[in-house]
Amino acid sequence: MRDKLKMGMVGGGNGGNIGNSHRRGAAMDNLAVLTAGSFTRNSRQNKKDGMFWGVAEDRIYDSYQEMAKKESKRPDGIDFVSIVTPNHTHYPIARCFLEHGIHVVCEKPMTLQVSEAEELAALAKEKNLEICVPYTYAHYPAIRECRSLIEEGKIGKILDVVAEYPQDWMILGLQNDEDDFTKWIGDPKYSGASNVTGAMGVHLYYLICAATGLRIEKVLADFGYYPEDAKLETISRILMAFDNGAHGMAWTSNVAIGHDCSMYLKIYGEKGSIEWSHDDMTHLYVSYLDQPVQIFSANRSYMSDFSKRASRLPAGHPEGFYEAYANMYHSFCEKLLDRMNGCLKEECYYYFPHAFDGLAGVKYVQAAVDSQRKGNVWVALDDAAKCFL
């Protein structure tokens, strides 16, 4: 019986933040070990990073193509690869590993073009492979509890949803000539048709769907630009119409001075409301009609089993961003191990964003871009663009 997976990684070298998040999240529950990688195009740094993380020198590759080819032929080759590279490279790297029969974890957005995302989803299905797309913020225990409360009817029919995700890193980076990330994220060649909606707004899209269980039927977008001659948007205001008749709004900005990584979710129903903040991610604020506000704390006995499965520490001990990554990796790795060991559970047990969630995110971003280009009009999402968690 297999009890651990071999993980590969493309990108994440040179001190990259997202690479660290993936490595730590994957390793937290001891279900995966980093075994191979192509971490940076800088050959010297690539070897240095890989050996620092305990990867054998002969499994540190100069390119992802070489890595996919050689690892797929090894009897002890990697079981999956995590792709943590700039957005425009996601599609060719993911396609390469899928073609070599290797499962994929791919940072969002899964691709820049809808056609590319459709191709990857179809290829994964054809080869019976898994794709996980890390929409991280939806995997805190408090968000799982939010979903449980809504499914139990605690706040009644949802009337309104308001989500916000402001940061100020873009406006800070624009003041720094050496900030390469700010340069490429604002360049259509590397970010496609969207900056902040594709980089951050898609997180709100998935968070809303995961927390409420609602599906977004159509969107109306209004973009803002800083500086004024920016090629891609730095502010995104998106109205949403849901399948239950309710409406909502998502505001995203990477030029909101004073915000580090703020995120807010407010859900209003006929019987009550639920509020959550990334600044206080272990708590959920629940209000019932004409009653005092209740504070739900992660991993308390009154929390749902669905929520408690995502906690590792006793109540009151902060669990944060790495743990949210770990929750996704745990479900992803558990499904792969169960497949290998012939003991698969029902599909709904494995709670992580799949290939169709990655495709839905790309289609959501494209719909918002189309809305802006057409003069801020409503644009419908087809079924493949609706999150199905």
Side-chain angles (χ1 to χ4, degrees), residues 177-216:
D177 292 336
E178 297 180 1
D179 190 328
D180 290 333
F181 180 69
T182 300
K183 292 176 183 177
W184 75 252
I185 201 72
D187 187 340
K189 180 180 178 181
Y190 302 105
S191 281
S194 171
N195 176 345
V196 74
T197 309
M200 294 164 56
V202 72
H203 275 300
L204 288 186
Y205 162 70
Y206 186 85
L207 177 68
I208 290 169
C209 295
T212 65
L214 297 178
R215 298 179 187 176
I216 301 172

Side-chain angles (χ1 to χ4, degrees), residues 30-71:
N30 204 31
L31 296 179
V33 177
L34 183 61
T35 308
S38 180
F39 304 105
T40 171
R41 288 172 294 183
N42 181 319
S43 180
R44 182 178 179 182
Q45 189 66 41
N46 185 35
K47 294 284 186 183
K48 181 179 178 181
D49 287 342
M51 295 180 72
F52 177 77
W53 294 318
V55 178
E57 189 171 358
D58 67 334
R59 299 184 78 169
I60 302 171
Y61 299 95
D62 290 331
S63 71
Y64 71 84
Q65 295 95 332
E66 179 192 14
M67 176 179 165
K69 181 178 180 180
K70 291 186 176 180
E71 286 294 321

Side-chain angles (χ1 to χ4, degrees), residues 253-272:
S253 173
N254 54 25
V255 293
I257 294 174
H259 289 279
D260 300 324
C261 185
S262 303
M263 184 177 288
Y264 310 97
L265 179 64
K266 303 175 183 180
I267 304 165
Y268 299 95
E270 292 178 321
K271 299 179 183 178

